[in-house]
Structures are given as C-alpha cells and as structure tokens.
Amino acid sequence: MQLFRASIAHFPTQTSNFEKDIVIFKDGGLLVDNKHIVDIGEFSQLSSRYPAVEVVDFSGKWILPGLIDSHLHYPQTQSIAHYGEQLLSWLENYTFPTEMQFADEAHANTIAGIFLNQLLKNGTTTGLVFTTVHKESCNALFSAASQLDMAMIAGKVCMDRNCPSPLQDTAQSAQQDCANLIKTWHNKGRNRYALTPRFAPTSTPEQLAALGELAQQYKDVFIQTHLSENLDEIAWVKQLFPNAAGYLDVYDQFNLVRERAVFGHGIHLNEDEWARLGESNASIAFCPTSNLFLGSGLFDMASAKANDVHVALATDVGAGTTFNMFKTYGDAYKVSQLRHAPICPLEGFYLMTQGAAKAHALDHEIGNLNAGTVADFIVVEPRFDELTALRIDQNAEFDDVFFALSILGDDRAIAQTWVSGRCSYKKPV
Ligand code: GUN
Ligand code: ZN
C-alpha cells in the first residue's frame, strides 16, 4: 500500500452543480493498494488511520483522476496538423491515405505504441478510440493497451462504400469481424469494444443494419461514430438516406442510438435530434480543437443542457490539434465565449473526468477517486515554467490552477500518470 500526499480534486458524484459538488483536499491523502483506491481524505486523517503505510509526498502538486478522451483516432496520430481542408476533402486527401498503411500489422503496432505514449504524457488514461477498417489495427491497439492495463474502448472502423476500395469491408465481413473482436477483447482485462461505423456516408443501410443487430445482441458494447459535423456532410447524408427524418434518424433506424452510443461532434442538430439524444441516454463528444481546425462550427452546449444530453470532451486527433485534454477545454472555453455562454473551469474538468465516466456508465471504475475505483490518476505540476510560476499562485484555488493550465499549459504540467496503481509515465527531469 502507498499513501500519496498532494492537493487533490475530484467529483465523486454526477452533478450539474459544479461549485457545490467538487471535493477538494488542499493537503490530501490518497491510499492505493495494488490496482485500487482504498481511501481518500485529509492527509492528517489518513496518516493517523494508516500509520505504517509508506508515504509518497507530492506536496505542492495536484492529484486528479486520470483524464478521459471520449473520441479520437489512433491511426491519425501521424496525420495530425495538415493544412487547409474542411471535413470531406480532408478525409480524401489526408485521412484515407494514412489509414491505408494500417493493413501492415507492424506499422499498426508501431503507431499504437506512439499513440499510447502521447496519451500518457498528457495525462489521459482512457480513450474512446477509432482504429481503421483492418481488424489487425484493432488488435494492435488493444494488445498495447493491455500491456499497460489501461481502460481502453475501441473498435474496428466499418465502411463499405464511398471510400477507397482498400479501405472497404462489407456488411457481412464487418459483422463477422466485429463479433470476433467482441469475443476476443470486450470485457477482457480493462478493454471494451465499440462498434464503429465511421459515419453514415461510408456505410450502406445493410452494414448499419448488421451493426445494429450486434448492438442489440451485446447491450453493454459501446457504439461510436460521427454525427452532424459539417454542412456538406449533412447534405450528403440527406441524399444517401432520403427516407430518414434527419442525420440522427439514420442511426436510430438501425438501433444505434442508445446508452453507450457516443456521437462525435453534433454541431448542427435540430430540436428533435437534441430531444431524441436526451431521451435515449446517448452522448455527444464535444471536440473543440477539431471543430475549429476543420472549420466545422461552434458546439451548442446550451441545447445539450436544455435536453439533458450527456456531453464529454474529446480531442478528435488527428482533426483535433492536441492530445492534451486541458488545452482541449481551453478551446471549448473559447468556443463557448463565441456563443456568449462560457463553460466554467470546474465544468471543463468534469467533462473530462466524472462527467465523461457517467456518460459512458463507467464511473464505478474511472473518472473519480472514490474508494473502490481503479487507481488511474495524474500528478499535476502547475508551476512548471517561468510563466506558469509567475501566473499561478502557490496557494491558488483549484479552478484557477485548472483554468490557467488549460490556456497556458501542455504536457509539461503532467508530472506523472498512474494507471491501475502503476506509474506508467514520469516526466523527464
Ligand atoms: N467523419 C468521418 N470520419 C471522420 C474522421 O476521421 N474525423 C472527423 N473529424 N470526422 C469524420
Ligand atoms: Zn472523429
């Protein structure tokens, strides 16, 4: 057992009252035994309750729950930051050529390793991850994540039209491959499977129906896809599915709108779609850096709230421009400023920890530091350079520290990342 001493912040429960429900211990203690958190509280209380336990002293730093990135693409690690396109031509020109390389299993293994390094050095311990159409790329990611005992949610991309033929599967092969991948990986260790139709334009109705069957057969399997990101995309969906009431309805017709369905973006939704998302318990991954980079639009958080839609923050690398979730909140804040409804720092923190875990029905395991959850946590060093030392007071409140790091910070603020009770990343000194 180890008793970690630091300032500690987390949301132990689901909430919309962030000021009231954040729990902060300025001089806190976190007791960890093997994989799990055993106790949390004031350091003085924990040290007298467990007098014989080894103390690991991180005084002056903050311990927070491991961060959750609710939508990103590991193959696009190598195609991040390409100039000058909006969604559909960006996919054609950069994304599809990159993803073709993942037919090569050795290449997939290499990029999976680099991807997980990027997550850990930025404090992200769980991702909802798109792989490529190749089942080998999915095996590569789950294998690498298993080595680290990370809670990983991922799936093989399914697409059987409107993309280069080397990237196409079929309705039947997708159903068979996904069923096999579910048997191999879902709930094995900390892995979970996500059915991953790329987006409506690249799947035939037959393929969506095949995946919908699996979604009904395996109720606790995740579903991840894209929804209403770009106006040209939406017009194309209308052409391809003339009988659907709208974009969301394309997925709904095939039983793909339910709890544990996570829709990337959702920028241009109408009132009916917001209402349906709320009632279905599905969630939206808000990807501000991607939405700005591709010029897709400004996410409407007010409508999400008005309709009780779960929202989680996400990078959407490689259309997203950073692996860093703090910076991702920094851009969410700027988007919300343009909408004259700023998202406050505590809400930003919630959307990458407990709020995300709640949206994915995983808060018994991740997203908070409650006793009994898995010991995924990060050690944050707020004053990591001259400017942050100048700006962030030694005794600053948590919301100010978090906000300043979201605007000024990067991976240099992450001192250590712990996964399943093991230190998996330590910032070089
Ligand atoms: N829509 C379909 N595929 C993608 C993708 O890879 N990235 C983004 N941002 N949107 C998509
Ligand atoms: Zn995406």
Side-chain angles (χ1 to χ4, degrees), residues 253-274:
Q253 285 180 349
F254 298 107
N255 300 308
L256 294 165
V257 182
R258 62 148 164 79
E259 186 178 48
R260 285 197 164 177
V262 184
F263 295 97
H265 309 296
I267 294 173
H268 308 283
L269 298 170
N270 63 35
E271 269 309 310
D272 290 346
E273 292 176 310
W274 279 117

Side-chain angles (χ1 to χ4, degrees), residues 212-272:
E213 280 173 21
L214 290 177
Q216 285 193 298
Q217 194 179 339
Y218 298 98
K219 296 274 188 220
D220 71 333
V221 154
F222 285 77
I223 299 162
Q224 57 181 356
T225 186
H226 298 88
L227 171 69
S228 272
E229 177 179 4
N230 166 289
L231 295 174
D232 292 341
E233 169 209 19
I234 294 167
W236 194 19
V237 170
K238 214 173 242 171
Q239 259 178 26
L240 291 168
F241 297 90
N243 299 323
Y247 198 158
L248 182 66
D249 192 49
V250 172
Y251 298 128
D252 217 356
Q253 285 180 349
F254 298 107
N255 300 308
L256 294 165
V257 182
R258 62 148 164 79
E259 186 178 48
R260 285 197 164 177
V262 184
F263 295 97
H265 309 296
I267 294 173
H268 308 283
L269 298 170
N270 63 35
E271 269 309 310
D272 290 346

Side-chain angles (χ1 to χ4, degrees), residues 50 63 157 163 234 269 295 339 406 411:
Y50 309 98
I63 285 181
V157 164
C163 63
I234 294 167
L269 298 170
R339 283 201 168 265
S406 297
D411 54 84

Side-chain angles (χ1 to χ4, degrees), residues 281-312:
N281 231 359
S283 45
I284 294 275
F286 170 21
C287 311
T289 73
S290 165
N291 299 160
L292 295 169
F293 183 72
L294 291 180
S296 303
L298 305 176
F299 181 68
D300 180 5
M301 191 69 167
S303 287
K305 282 190 181 163
N307 289 280
D308 278 333
V309 177
H310 294 289
V311 175

Side-chain angles (χ1 to χ4, degrees), residues 71 73 226 265 316:
H71 177 120
H73 302 251
H226 298 88
H265 309 296
D316 193 29

